[in-house]
């Protein structure tokens, strides 16, 4: 049985499960979206290539630091939209598609975690953001830890939601099973967003980036992150073990853990209200200032 067959089958099953289990929520979610702010899509030249990003338009107090949302493996800023709309009345929000994903330009080869962090730093320069708070999901957490170590002056604080675990804690079978197990606890439409984004990125890029993730030991690197960091985990996230997030939060010099009951892996998409309620006190807390960074 090939890896591509497993991934495609898992995606198809997830789509079916999510659709059947979440039909009652469709009307409610449509109603909620009508009361939230709009985002503007932009194409931005970054180091000679084009990056697509969604940017909030609402005016916010000048003293509030902007927030950059970073997507997970194979995904794009598209599934960050629900969270961005909830945050936008309070902070200026940027949600880029990392190079190779979504509507951003695709390099000939997949970028490593380190190169994705460098691309994110270059994106900030291109849009004129000198420092920001960051919220990452899954692969996005690995990129943000790398960013905090490589470009610490850019990072005010971090939120790591559903951080991917060390290689010892993951294997293909476990990830596929966890992927299927979370389906009933995600919004139905996340399945279609994921499948469209996976198709746009391509299986080869997905696997190459996954290999870089496996080689990247976020647990060890997190011990050197000096910025205030909030680790967020959902009790239905069967992809990321609870023991891992507890250990990760404890290893961060200025880390803390927040748990959202009933949420799965895609909290930014499926539970944006609960996520925002956890995020805003941390993002707006002026007593949480970063240490002196070089």
């Amino acid at each position: 049985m090939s890896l591509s067959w497993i991934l495609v089958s898992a995606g198809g099953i997830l789509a079916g499960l999510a659709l059947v289990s979440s039909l009652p929520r469709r009307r409610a979610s449509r109603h909620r979206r009508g009361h939230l702010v709009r985002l503007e899509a932009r194409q931005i030249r970054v180091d000679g290539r084009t990056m697509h990003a969604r940017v909030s338009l609402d005016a916010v107090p000048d003293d509030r630091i902007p927030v950059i949302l970073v997507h997970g493996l194979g995904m794009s800023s598209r599934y960050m939209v629900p969270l961005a709309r909830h945050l936008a009345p309070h902070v200026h929000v940027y949600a880029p598609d990392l190079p190779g994903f979504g509507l951003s330009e695709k390099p000939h080869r997949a970028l490593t975690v380190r190169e994705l962090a460098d691309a994110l730093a270059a994106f900030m320069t291109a849009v004129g953001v000198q420092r920001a708070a960051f919220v990452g999901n899954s692969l996005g957490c690995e990129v943000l830890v790398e960013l905090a170590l490589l470009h610490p002056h850019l990072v005010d604080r971090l939120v790591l939601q559903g951080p991917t675990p060390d290689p010892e804690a993951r294997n293909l079978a476990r990830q596929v099973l966890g992927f299927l197990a979370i389906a009933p606890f995600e919004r139905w439409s996340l399945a279609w967003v994921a499948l469209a984004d996976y198709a746009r990125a391509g299986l080869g890029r997905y696997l190459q980036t996954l290999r870089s993730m496996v080689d990247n030991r976020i647990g060890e690197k997190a011990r050197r992150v000096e910025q205030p960091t909030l680790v967020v985990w959902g009790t239905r996230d069967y992809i990321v073990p609870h023991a891992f997030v507890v250990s990760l939060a404890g290893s961060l010099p200025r880390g803390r853990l927040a748990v959202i009951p009933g949420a799965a892996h895609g909290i930014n998409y499926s539970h944006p209200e609960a996520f925002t309620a956890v995020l805003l006190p941390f993002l707006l807390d002026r007593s949480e200032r970063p240490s002196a960074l070089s």
Side-chain angles (χ1 to χ4, degrees), residues 134 141-142 144-149 155-164 217-233 243-258 282 288 291:
F134 295 83
C141 298
E142 300 197 25
L144 293 186
V145 167
E146 198 75 14
L147 180 74
L149 298 179
V155 180
D156 184 86
R157 62 195 67 193
L158 296 175
V159 178
L160 309 179
Q161 186 266 301
T164 46
R217 294 179 176 269
I218 185 176
E220 296 176 2
K221 293 181 178 181
R223 298 170 188 165
R224 296 184 281 123
V225 173
E226 295 296 333
Q227 294 88 343
T229 303
L230 179 66
V231 179
V232 181
W233 182 76
F244 175 73
V245 294
V246 171
S247 173
L248 182 66
S251 70
L252 286 155
R254 302 177 68 186
R256 66 175 78 166
L257 175 65
F282 176 73
E288 280 283 17
S291 303

Side-chain angles (χ1 to χ4, degrees), residues 103-124:
L103 298 178
S104 288
E105 192 172 328
K106 295 171 175 55
H108 293 301
R109 62 170 180 82
L111 301 187
T112 64
V113 171
R114 178 170 187 148
E115 289 170 328
L116 290 172
D118 286 337
L120 188 57
F123 168 81
M124 292 178 67

Side-chain angles (χ1 to χ4, degrees), residues 9 30 36 71 75 105 125 174 235 238 249 281-282:
S9 297
R30 285 177 185 155
L36 300 176
H71 61 80
M75 301 295 285
E105 192 172 328
T125 299
R174 178 172 180 169
T235 57
Y238 301 122
F282 176 73

